């Protein structure tokens, strides 16, 4: 369990930080980049909840996702090893499948898309689009960590982030369902 009694330790003043297994690594480590961006995405979801004022059912989903994002960060910061002395927290297939169920549920209520949409609309939708792009970056950085460290990083973390960005896209469209999506018009301003 996390016990935060001191906020600053000065141990990172040399450009390194501790991973979840207490090994030291560069602050430029791809794993750190990935879980730092997961933290940024989590913070953006806090902004969605605070400023966007999503509908209650969406707020419940976003709170659950915020908790899951701490699981994703914990997974990314603890190297995968055989026979660990303590079983680390890992993202599960069930967490990915839960996102897929939400995608299917909310997407079923939306009109089919025949074009890309412009991010925006009402405040909830606009903020969800920002969160979506941050999650997409976290996914790319997770794949970079997986490519750098191979089986030392759980690929389910990246898969979770992939589905999460899809869900946030669907939820942004759902938030705009009464106003409708603003569609991209290719070459409209030539």
């Amino acid at each position: 369990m996390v016990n935060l009694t001191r906020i600053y330790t000065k141990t990172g003043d040399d450009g390194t930080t501790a991973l979840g297994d207490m090994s030291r690594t560069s602050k430029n480590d791809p794993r750190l980049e990935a879980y730092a961006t997961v933290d940024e995405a989590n913070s953006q979801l806090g902004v969605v909840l605070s400023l966007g004022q999503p509908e209650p059912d969406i707020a419940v989903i976003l709170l659950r996702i915020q908790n899951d994002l701490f699981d994703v960060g914990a997974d990314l910061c603890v190297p995968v090893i055989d026979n660990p002395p303590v079983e680390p927290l890992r993202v599960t297939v069930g967490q990915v499948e839960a996102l897929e169920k939400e995608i299917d549920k909310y997407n079923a209520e939306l009109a089919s898309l025949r074009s890309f949409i412009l991010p925006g609309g009402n405040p909830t939708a606009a903020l969800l689009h920002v969160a979506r792009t941050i999650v997409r970056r976290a996914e790319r950085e997770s794949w970079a960590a997986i490519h750098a460290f191979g089986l030392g990083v759980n690929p389910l973390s990246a898969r979770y982030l992939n589905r999460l960005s899809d869900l946030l896209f669907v939820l942004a469209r759902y938030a705009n369902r009464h106003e409708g999506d603003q569609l991209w018009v290719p070459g409209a301003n030539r």
Side-chain angles (χ1 to χ4, degrees):
M1 185 53 71
V2 176
N3 184 14
L4 300 175
T5 56
R6 292 184 59 199
I7 301 305
Y8 67 91
T9 62
K10 300 181 183 179
T11 58
D13 291 352
D14 65 353
T16 67
T17 192
L19 292 172
D21 65 354
M22 302 315 293
S23 63
R24 302 293 296 176
T25 192
S26 165
K27 288 192 177 187
N28 296 318
D29 186 307
R31 295 168 294 188
L32 177 68
E33 295 286 341
Y35 70 74
T37 305
V38 167
D39 185 38
E40 182 183 349
N42 203 341
S43 295
Q44 179 62 30
L45 290 180
V47 173
V48 174
L49 288 164
S50 298
L51 300 179
Q53 301 177 348
E55 296 172 27
D57 60 325
I58 303 303
V60 168
I61 293 167
L62 295 179
L63 282 170
R64 188 188 80 235
I65 290 167
Q66 281 193 295
N67 197 77
D68 279 356
L69 286 174
F70 269 98
D71 292 355
V72 174
D75 191 336
L76 288 167
C77 84
V78 177
V80 175
I81 60 170
D82 291 331
N83 305 314
V86 176
E87 192 63 34
L89 185 59
R90 297 286 179 215
V91 174
T92 67
V93 170
Q95 287 171 295
V96 175
E97 289 172 345
L99 295 176
E100 291 170 350
K101 287 178 186 175
E102 297 292 1
I103 293 167
D104 293 342
K105 174 184 174 182
Y106 287 95
N107 196 49
E109 298 186 36
L110 301 172
S112 296
L113 277 178
R114 304 239 185 272
S115 175
F116 290 108
I117 64 170
L118 302 180
N122 65 47
T124 301
L127 293 167
L128 284 166
H129 278 297
V130 174
R132 171 186 58 80
T133 63
I134 296 168
V135 170
R136 237 356 143 190
R137 180 165 26 98
E139 178 198 358
R140 290 190 308 271
E141 291 170 352
S142 295
W143 283 113
I146 291 164
H147 290 143
F149 293 96
L151 298 176
V153 179
N154 181 8
L156 278 176
S157 58
R159 190 179 309 167
Y160 179 92
L161 293 167
N162 177 275
R163 297 310 185 284
L164 177 56
S165 64
D166 292 341
L167 175 58
L168 295 175
F169 176 78
V170 168
L171 292 179
R173 290 195 65 218
Y174 183 80
N176 276 336
R177 70 191 180 283
H178 299 300
E179 299 91 354
D181 296 311
Q182 183 67 47
L183 299 179
W184 170 49
V185 179
N189 299 310
R190 286 194 221 176

